[in-house]
Amino acid sequence: MIVGIDLGTTHSLVGVWKDGGATLIPNALGQLLTPSVVASDDERRILVGQAARDRMVTHPSSAAATFKRYMGSDRKFGVAGRMLRPEELSSLVLKSLKADAEAFLGETVDEAVITVPAYFNDAQRKATKAAGELAGLKVDRLLTEPTAAALAYGFTTGDEESTILVIDMGGGTLDVSLLHSFEGIMEVRATAGDIWLGGEDFTQLIATAFMAEAGNDAGLPPFAGKLPVHASILRQAEIIKRDLSDAEEARLEVNYQGRAIGWTLQREAFEKMCEPLMARVRLPLERALRDARVAPETLSRIVFAGGATRMPMFRRLIARLFRQLPVHHINPDEVVARGAAVRAGLIAKGSGLEERVLTDVAPFTLGIEVTSRVSEGMLLPGTFLPIIERNTVIPASRSHVVTTLQDNQTKLLVKVYQGESRMVRDNVYLGEVAVMIRPARAGEETVEVRFTYDTSGLLEVEAKPSSYDHVESLVIEGNPGVLSKVDIEHRRAELARLKVHPRDDAQNQAILARANRLYEENLGSMRTLIGAEIDRMRNVIEGQDPEQITAMRARLGEFLDSIDRSLL
Ligand code: AMP
């Protein structure tokens, strides 16, 4: 069975094509959104999702979140006494979604369409595929998130020609894509974005403002280490940010060492402090239109995806820039997952869906290092020679012939980079391949360098010398962000040794983690009350009577709801 997965920065969702439509699948807690958070409990068992997110507040040093931002890098996070890579943490989230889907569908799920930001580079896409493999999922196809959003809206099925701008601002990234739909063919004309701009930056601004205006004076420790009080502040900041999408003012309150510290934020003040962030939102919008040579007034539709597009200032900016209102009737948190489910349906050739050809674009320019001749006798080494230009429709295969620079050269080194700068030192190094050549006078011997970029965003580089009959193809080595096949096998075996909390215990673990978080966040008699409830819940769990456990959980849930707001 094949499912569609939105592997998000803040949360993830899984969906399936069923009975002629996209259906989202609830997790063990009955929720469609599973926080992309991994933590470990006192027995070093792995928790994923809501329980992990609550655990992060009380035990920040044994939890990891927003690891999607580091996909494709060798950054590691400490969880369960181990240092885990972003793709390993992502694989734990994927495994949890896979288990939810299997429980819901009653059959084995062994394949997935996973969405990635259109802006993800080669290493990040490879890491996403590796995460799927580590979770035991075959991932033939990665789907860019904006394309998924357009698929969910069904904008790809009409015959008339249209140009769709998809603006997706989630927790961690902003993606802008220009899609062109014509006779059922969907083409991504241009993509732009900012991988360091998302809803969390707005939350962070609120937390910083709170510290500056109230926290510091109240003696709160500065945001340096991972202290529980800081996780609490961020959580409260997140809540009031959402409140400010509907209300003119909101109040944040944190408890610290027996004191409650309160602070009120007006929407107007919030929007003022966000101006620099909103200015950054404009840049990729303008670049995508420029790259695709599209005038704003010719856009047929603007589609919103990602929770952060709910902010009124965001909607105002887009309406002002494009003089039209974006469509957002599908829940922006769900739209990408729904599109992934549609794509999964296409692959499975499900009923009620016509096959559509989708194309994609290269998010960055890909090229090699060359020495350019500025003038006679003057050479400029380290120049970037683009081979596949940014926003080229893929799959694409392009080649370029380079020549030798010195007499009797026996080897030519092809160094591969991605980026937009003229000098390679300002671009991102991807790897290199050396090719043997016949010794000859400088400039006589040539090598054809071919780049082939596929729809999953994977790049293959081939170098063919003119005088020999062999082709060297590029194995990107020394890139810390990419796991080899052997590494993946090895890590899969290691991951299998991690103890994961049993799914049927998920509700108990989640409610206990939440109660423990509230115990830390509250004070005085409320705290004592919560402590007593935690003990009672633990006792009932030990008693192993399913009916009593369910009843106690419902009671505790109601009690916690009365003192806390859920973020989901
Ligand atoms: P996504 O990853 O697409 O689900 O987006 C999550 C981001 O959307 C987070 O940063 C949330 O804080 C943000 N978000 C969700 N709901 C709202 C809301 N009502 N107002 C402002 N931001 C929101």
Side-chain angles (χ1 to χ4, degrees), residues 9-10 66 69 168-173 197-202 241 306-308:
T9 313
T10 42
T66 61
R69 281 179 180 266
D168 180 346
M169 185 143 92
T173 58
L197 183 61
E200 260 137 49
D201 297 292
F202 293 76
K241 179 184 77 174

Side-chain angles (χ1 to χ4, degrees), residues 10-11 169-171 199-200 238 241-242 245 306-308 310-311 333:
T10 42
H11 53 247
M169 185 143 92
E200 260 137 49
E238 171 70 29
K241 179 184 77 174
R242 295 186 190 197
S245 289
R310 287 197 181 95
M311 291 187 291
D333 295 324

Side-chain angles (χ1 to χ4, degrees), residues 13 57 230 254 539:
L13 300 92
V57 176
H230 294 140
V254 272
N539 271 337

Side-chain angles (χ1 to χ4, degrees), residues 300-374:
S300 324
R301 283 195 168 101
I302 300 175
V303 174
F304 268 175
T309 59
R310 287 197 181 95
M311 291 187 291
M313 62 181 139
F314 196 91
R315 298 192 168 178
R316 270 201 323 268
L317 172 76
I318 304 305
R320 211 172 51 232
L321 282 178
F322 299 104
R323 296 180 198 282
Q324 68 166 286
L325 293 174
V327 290
H328 48 77
H329 57 267
I330 300 183
N331 184 335
D333 295 324
E334 298 176 0
V335 65
V336 169
R338 287 189 181 276
V342 172
R343 179 62 165 263
L346 277 171
I347 292 173
K349 296 237 190 301
S351 59
L353 203 70
E354 271 180 70
E355 180 111 32
R356 299 284 166 193
V357 180
L358 295 171
T359 50
D360 225 328
V361 295
F364 293 100
T365 300
L366 297 159
I368 58 171
E369 174 176 351
V370 292
T371 296
S372 59
R373 201 175 292 276
V374 186

Side-chain angles (χ1 to χ4, degrees), residues 38-85:
V38 176
S40 55
D41 67 6
D42 294 335
E43 283 101 53
R44 292 204 163 166
R45 284 184 302 185
I46 295 289
L47 297 167
V48 174
Q50 187 58 52
R53 179 149 86 179
D54 281 322
R55 183 87 182 161
M56 187 165 67
V57 176
T58 53
H59 299 77
S61 57
S62 61
T66 61
F67 35 84
K68 179 173 170 179
R69 281 179 180 266
Y70 301 94
M71 285 294 255
S73 79
D74 61 354
R75 163 125 185 214
K76 299 209 176 66
F77 297 76
V79 176
R82 298 258 316 270
M83 293 308 286
L84 298 176
R85 296 173 61 103

Side-chain angles (χ1 to χ4, degrees), residues 379-408:
L379 300 176
L380 185 64
T383 308
F384 183 55
L385 171 73
I387 293 189
I388 292 183
E389 302 243 46
R390 176 182 85 219
N391 285 327
T392 301
V393 173
I394 52 174
S397 188
R398 302 264 192 288
S399 68
H400 209 284
V401 174
V402 292
T403 60
T404 51
L405 207 63
Q406 283 154 4
D407 289 341
N408 294 321

